Amino acid sequence: MTGAPAATEVNFDGLPGPTHNYSGLAEGNLASERHKSGVSNPRQAALQGLAKMKTLADRGFAQGVLPPHERPDVEALRALGFAGDDAQVLTVAARAAPQLLAACSSAAAMWVANAATVSPSADTADGHVHFTPANLVSHFHRSLEAPTTTRVLRAIFSDAQRFVVHDPLPSVPQLGDEGAANHTRFATAADAPGVELFVYGRAGFDADARTPRRFPARQTREASEAVARRHALAPERTLYAQQHPDAIDAGVFHNDVIAVGNGTVFFCHERALVAQDAVLQTLRDRIGAGFATIIVTEREVSLERAVATYLFNSQLLARPDGGMFLVAPAECRQDAAVSALLDRLIADEGPIREVLTFDLRQSMQNGGGPACLRLRVALTPAERNAIAARIWLDETLHAELVSWVERHYRDRLAPADLADPELVRESRRALDELSQLLRLGSVYPFQQS
């Protein structure tokens, strides 16, 4: 890579969809369970996400946009035996199986940290950027996302000379894959070969392995290993670590709820990983003396408090001065202990030099913070220029997206509203316009019928 143009880490944020609702579908996601059956505000959810994107873009961070998925997924309901036109399918499903209707209406694709695992060209043997869309088999509502995610990624990263978008792994529990939420890349520079840390919750084929008692572990080691093989990563550039079962039982359903890393910095709770000291030493040995850890103890912030505030579900961004910039949810400043910790981190003049919080309450109440909303992709200038889709957020696109949201999104959505046939029509009109606005082509099933 000597002499090559510098790569830049791009944050691709997911737009919350028109059916953003609180159905409490995700077992082990405490916020989702706590707000089940509440009334959501899809318009506010999308505008809050766009406000975060715009602020970071204004500060010079590369920012892309990923679209929502088509919901309700009427074809999924038909596959489950509900017949008739769209209105009949929704009416019967709402009466006979409301949880299936809720699952097929979920806007969880907004959390694009689960969209795929990404390895940049600096890490891969063939010099391509590799994507493996997550199969998300642990929950039915999320398993529906893989086909559309694959189509969207292939529409954006279409240059076969630079990008490889694989098919998702086989959709079986032993190969449960939750995407980048359980994957962190460390490197001395964005265009330098990195070390990719894959975190799993369980061994898919070992029933006797230590697992959580309260909540299911979603990611399997076998899935992580398969992704690494697909991406042609050198063994010395990969590392596998197990999530601590106690953390999963406390509501850490993905590793990005308890740890975040970037560059040569790792910010995590002391109970994030099994054999954590050994994992950190291996990272230090492979990355070099510049590797820095910020370990928060249980005494400073308990696992339960970390989950409640989503302290670690923050974005860790590199500033031009070499320090790190932490993008955290507003809830972190509403908790005295967490807020004091953040102030201390800045005062200590360590790797984290600045903290900025955002109001993402609509997403947070469904269990997704700043890190859930973004997929990180390191791209060289040539790779960025190979993208023809209009997904780079600037003043003009931001204004157009805000106008689009305000025209198409409801400001109130209760679970009972998911049976409204007009919601299907509203969503399809919105997504048809959006796919043209972003120059994605026909990525939705209703556009191909």
Side-chain angles (χ1 to χ4, degrees), residues 44-126:
Q44 187 179 61
L47 294 177
Q48 287 174 344
L50 282 167
K52 176 175 82 77
M53 293 185 231
K54 177 63 162 52
T55 300
L56 296 181
D58 287 347
R59 294 187 62 144
F61 294 103
Q63 181 67 62
V65 181
L66 293 175
H69 290 197
E70 179 187 350
R71 295 292 183 270
D73 188 338
V74 182
E75 290 308 310
L77 289 169
R78 288 196 173 97
L80 294 170
F82 298 101
D85 61 24
D86 291 349
Q88 291 169 325
V89 167
L90 296 177
T91 299
V92 176
R95 181 176 64 249
Q99 278 299 95
L100 286 179
L101 174 58
C104 292
S105 302
S106 170
M110 64 197 277
W111 297 310
V112 295
N114 301 117
T117 303
V118 186
S119 296
S121 54
D123 292 0
T124 62
D126 62 4

Side-chain angles (χ1 to χ4, degrees), residues 39 54 258 296 319 322 329 347-348 354:
V39 176
K54 177 63 162 52
I258 205 63
V296 178
R319 302 197 324 177
D348 287 348
E354 182 182 3

Side-chain angles (χ1 to χ4, degrees), residues 383-424:
E383 290 161 353
R384 288 186 61 171
N385 291 336
I387 296 173
R390 187 178 175 231
I391 45 76
W392 304 115
L393 194 79
D394 55 17
E395 291 278 353
T396 302
L397 182 57
H398 175 261
E400 291 179 13
L401 289 173
V402 167
S403 176
W404 171 79
V405 168
E406 291 176 339
R407 288 196 311 277
H408 291 289
Y409 280 50
R410 299 185 182 189
D411 62 4
R412 184 184 190 281
L413 194 67
D417 297 329
L418 300 177
D420 180 5
E422 184 57 30
L423 186 61
V424 176

Side-chain angles (χ1 to χ4, degrees), residues 304-319:
E304 290 72 22
R305 183 165 272 174
V307 171
T309 61
Y310 269 35
L311 165 63
F312 297 99
N313 195 248
S314 298
Q315 293 175 250
L316 193 60
L317 306 176
R319 302 197 324 177

Side-chain angles (χ1 to χ4, degrees), residues 49 79 102 112 124 145 151 158 174 177 209 225 248-249 260 262 266 274-275 299 323 335 342 377 423 440:
V112 295
T124 62
E145 298 170 20
R151 286 193 299 272
S158 59
Q174 293 92 339
D177 178 22
E225 291 171 338
I248 297 175
D249 281 337
V260 58
N262 188 22
F266 194 34
V274 172
R299 181 176 179 179
D335 182 285
L342 293 176
V377 186
L423 186 61
L440 294 174

